[in-house]
Amino acid sequence: MGKIFTINSRDYAGTLKKSWECELVSRAGSLLTFIGVFDRTIVHSQLGTIVSGTISYEYYWDDRWYNVFKFFEPDGSFMSCEDATSAGRTT
């Protein structure tokens, strides 16, 4: 695969909240799997500080209303697994 995509997170009104780039690593039926690496440290309202180099595995389905994100520290250790609605709300 290897194609780079821009992921856009929007709120319920459709306003763009944030964008990032990820690499498409697989497609199986309706499931798209991406890998992204944070290029800078950010402070997330629910996840706390995410340091530069953090790796995210992102799972999107074109027939489901939610997405799943797995985060790994830059050293590869597991950090968090979150689900999010299509409107970008993390729970």
Side-chain angles (χ1 to χ4, degrees):
M1 297 258 145
K3 187 172 180 184
I4 303 298
F5 285 82
T6 299
I7 307 293
N8 293 316
S9 175
R10 298 180 182 274
D11 63 18
Y12 285 107
T15 304
L16 183 65
K17 291 172 46 177
K18 57 189 167 238
S19 294
W20 61 94
E21 291 188 344
C22 290
E23 178 183 1
L24 178 63
V25 293
S26 72
R27 176 160 190 151
S30 67
L31 172 62
L32 297 145
T33 304
F34 294 87
I35 296 177
V37 178
F38 284 75
D39 62 357
R40 64 187 185 286
T41 297
I42 65 162
V43 177
H44 189 279
S45 63
Q46 292 152 334
L47 300 175
T49 300
I50 300 173
V51 298
S52 177
T54 296
I55 302 159
S56 65
Y57 286 78
E58 304 179 15
Y59 305 90
Y60 301 90
W61 291 263
D62 59 17
D63 59 354
R64 298 184 190 182
W65 57 271
Y66 61 90
N67 310 307
V68 174
F69 299 86
K70 291 192 307 187
F71 297 98
F72 293 84
E73 300 285 354
D75 68 4
S77 60
F78 179 75
M79 183 177 149
S80 176
C81 184
E82 305 292 327
D83 61 40
T85 68
S86 59
R89 182 181 60 187
T90 304
T91 58

